[in-house]
Amino acid sequence: MNNHQTRFGDVPLHIGGEAYPSASEQWIEVTDPADQSLLARVPKATSAEIELAVRTAHDAYLLWREVPASERARVMFNYQHLLKTHHDELAALLAQETGKNLADAKGDVWRGIEVVEQACAIASQTLGETMGNVARRVDGHSWVQPLGVCLGITPFNFPAMIPLWMFPLAVACGNGFVLKPSEQDPLTPMRLAELFAEAGAPKGILSVVHGGAEQVDALLAHPDIKAVSFVGSARVGGHVYRSATSQLKRAQCFVGAKNHMVIMPDANKAQVLSNLVGAGVGAAGQRCMAISVAVFVGSAREWIPELAAEFAKVKPGIWHDPEAAYGPLISPEAKVRVEGLIEAGIAEGAECLLDGRFCDVPGYPVGNWVGPTLFRGVTPEMRIYQEEIFGPVLACLEVASLDEALALINDNPYGNGTSIFTSCGAAARKFRHEVAVGQVGINVPIPVPLPFFSFTGWRGSFYGDLHAYGKQAVRFYTETKTVTERWFDEDIPSGPNMTIQLR
């Protein structure tokens, strides 16, 4: 296939600080989810190319680790400036390959920039500790040092934000980095890498390789890869975590989610309805922090018909349509899966108040469109409750008390995010104290933390020990060296030749 048959041509690798055309004979087609037109082709990197990418990152790391933290921070300052300068360009590119509307795409880029801003403060985040006289005439120190080469495996749904969760902090800590972005939308990550090189990052410190499961396994097995960051499905994340840890590598894997929002009867109804619509169908539900379960407590169940009316007003559309609330699903396969779960919900007895399976966007008849879908009468035994749908589908459950709502959430295998809407401080305190979920919102539907905190999914939503961005990411990408030192007084130079001896 010739490059002119695609909108963006063949996607190269990024090795040695520049585009590196792949010699692969295996290519993956990248299609526009709104009309199935061919955007680009992305290569499945060869074994030799993977070896070169890792070796180049490792060689760059050996020099980069000796660069003072303040100088590394200056690269990050340059990078965040370039990302801001190219913000709208990045958002437009991202919107075309993911289908996100422009506002959502801009948010994707901006949240990544916020993490880069945290990397600018790397000097203060990698300070060690010291104590004099830990024993007689003995001093103790701890130093924070980089690991080596780190690997990032990122998903399709946030092709700017999630790579920017990873490589800027890892590189600011002194590491080399290899990024394996999603093969479904590789254009945005490649542009991020180009801007990183333009910002003054040393050549080779960031490599980008493309491919599928074979390439991931080759990277995981490479002895120079010391730590692995992953965001994606529970199935793939489990494989990545087991493979990495069995080879004594560090791993942090952010996987599945089933996020509940609890609505108390004393909540502000207008705020509840508005926030549920955005949290339930925003980004077509293709985000790990989407609210996919609404738990109505007591008389709050009376608001469900009004919620259905608000859902019915939401219309998906093309990325540059200012009236579009969200875009298409990423692929035809994703559409088939989501529509199958909607069908299963109906078959299992849930009441489908709004069915998005027959959504039509004028001018784009073959897009991966699914309209907003709302169920009530859902029970925990149903597939639409048990499985992560990753589409614009909200399941409504009804319980009698806050205790029942808490039990429902805590019995679910996932623990990524949750929220409660209430005007009662005591109810809010009980909820945030007792819920077994890593990220909790109080009258905030999607409680994604700002980057000076850490992204902290629990239970079946996370495999590992240290979380993403913030202080925990700095700890993940570094290790501590403890030094105990003693000097003897009799070794102090003295006499007429002291000055010479001290030189």
Side-chain angles (χ1 to χ4, degrees):
M1 183 175 297
N2 297 322
N3 289 356
H4 70 268
Q5 295 178 288
T6 68
R7 196 181 308 173
F8 294 99
D10 287 350
V11 180
L13 311 177
H14 184 89
I15 300 175
E18 59 188 12
Y20 187 95
S22 177
S24 177
E25 296 181 356
Q26 295 181 298
W27 293 76
I28 302 168
E29 293 185 347
V30 181
T31 57
D32 186 328
D35 62 11
Q36 312 306 330
S37 63
L38 197 57
L39 295 178
R41 295 194 315 159
V42 61
K44 291 185 175 182
T46 66
S47 298
E49 289 165 349
I50 288 173
E51 177 62 34
L52 178 63
V54 177
R55 185 175 73 249
T56 302
H58 182 265
D59 290 347
Y61 146 75
L62 293 176
L63 300 174
W64 181 241
R65 66 180 179 179
E66 302 300 332
V67 173
S70 57
E71 294 183 29
R72 289 187 244 130
R74 291 186 194 116
V75 173
M76 300 304 152
F77 276 110
N78 292 341
Y79 191 41
Q80 61 90 20
H81 172 71
L82 283 172
L83 291 173
K84 290 176 181 177
T85 301
H86 293 271
H87 175 270
D88 289 357
E89 169 209 328
L90 286 163
L93 179 63
L94 189 155
Q96 290 178 74
E97 63 177 343
T98 64
K100 289 185 177 185
N101 66 23
L102 192 55
D104 197 12
K106 287 181 177 181
D108 187 333
V109 176
W110 187 256
R111 288 309 300 269
I113 291 173
E114 290 179 326
V115 179
V116 178
E117 290 175 337
Q118 281 298 109
C120 294
I122 197 62
S124 61
Q125 296 181 75
T126 51
L127 291 173
E129 297 174 319
T130 185
M131 183 175 182
N133 287 329
V134 295
R136 293 187 184 278
R137 298 186 179 182
V138 177
D139 301 326
H141 315 275
S142 69
W143 296 347
V144 176
Q145 296 187 326
L147 299 173
V149 181
C150 303
L151 169 65
I153 305 166
T154 58
F156 76 85
N157 58 331
F158 286 94
M161 182 185 77
I162 294 179
L164 292 174
W165 275 12
M166 297 178 183
F167 74 80
L169 275 170
V171 172
C173 287
N175 299 289
F177 201 90
V178 177
L179 175 66
K180 208 302 287 183
S182 171
E183 65 278 13
Q184 294 179 287
D185 46 15
L187 299 170
T188 301
M190 284 298 296
R191 186 66 180 128
L192 296 179
E194 293 170 359
L195 292 173
F196 197 51
E198 187 178 336
K203 289 187 176 182
I205 202 68
L206 172 66
S207 294
V208 182
V209 297
H210 306 291
E214 180 183 350
Q215 285 69 32
V216 167
D217 286 342
L219 288 163
L220 290 171
H222 198 289
D224 283 339
I225 298 292
K226 303 301 181 184
V228 182
S229 300
F230 170 87
V231 178
S233 71
R235 180 186 62 82
V236 178
H239 168 73
V240 169
Y241 185 75
R242 286 187 293 269
S243 179
T245 54
S246 69
Q247 299 174 72
L248 306 181
K249 304 178 191 292
R250 289 189 184 180
Q252 51 173 202
C253 297
F254 300 85
V255 291
K258 197 70 178 179
N259 306 316
H260 298 63
M261 178 169 146
V262 175
I263 301 99
M264 300 297 289
D266 62 355
N268 181 307
K269 181 171 68 171
Q271 291 295 327
V272 166
L273 298 180
S274 173
N275 280 276
L276 260 179
V277 171
V281 303
Q286 297 178 121
R287 49 189 179 190
C288 67
M289 288 294 287
I291 295 296
S292 55
V293 179
V295 184
F296 290 84
V297 179
S299 61
R301 64 171 59 92
E302 298 170 5
W303 304 347
I304 295 177
E306 293 176 73
L307 177 63
E310 293 301 315
F311 260 57
K313 299 176 184 177
V314 176
K315 305 296 181 186
I318 192 68
W319 69 272
H320 51 71
D321 179 0
E323 302 300 318
Y326 63 88
L329 298 182
I330 189 64
S331 67
E333 294 78 13
K335 179 183 178 183
V336 168
R337 180 180 178 278
V338 170
E339 290 183 337
L341 284 165
I342 295 172
E343 183 177 347
I346 295 170
E348 291 176 346
E351 181 182 359
C352 189
L353 301 179
L354 200 63
D355 188 342
R357 289 178 295 170
F358 311 104
C359 178
D360 175 60
V361 174
Y364 299 90
V366 295
N368 308 319
W369 309 108
V370 175
T373 301
L374 185 67
F375 283 99
R376 76 177 303 176
V378 176
T379 66
E381 295 74 31
M382 295 178 178
R383 283 183 62 200
I384 55 171
Y385 179 80
Q386 294 177 349
E387 297 185 27
E388 183 177 22
I389 299 175
F390 231 59
V393 180
L394 182 67
C396 296
L397 283 76
E398 302 163 35
V399 298
S401 67
L402 177 57
D403 284 329
E404 286 186 46
L406 281 164
L408 185 72
I409 296 169
N410 291 344
D411 285 344
N412 191 277
Y414 296 115
N416 206 39
T418 189
S419 60
I420 184 172
F421 273 64
T422 181
S423 61
C424 175
R429 184 185 186 281
K430 175 182 175 67
F431 183 79
R432 72 170 182 255
H433 180 69
E434 296 183 14
V435 75
V437 174
Q439 293 156 134
V440 181
I442 309 298
N443 297 318
V444 174
I446 299 181
V448 177
L450 289 167
F452 29 81
F453 291 98
S454 292
F455 190 95
T456 53
W458 282 15
R459 297 189 286 137
S461 294
F462 177 70
Y463 308 143
D465 301 297
L466 293 169
H467 292 95
Y469 60 77
K471 294 179 181 178
Q472 292 199 33
V474 172
R475 290 176 61 196
F476 180 79
Y477 292 126
T478 59
E479 54 190 355
T480 301
K481 177 184 290 181
T482 303
V483 178
T484 304
E485 66 179 5
R486 178 172 62 182
W487 297 97
F488 300 98
D489 287 351
E490 53 265 37
D491 291 336
I492 297 176
S494 60
N497 296 323
M498 183 179 74
T499 302
I500 297 173
Q501 293 175 20
L502 286 174
R503 287 179 179 171

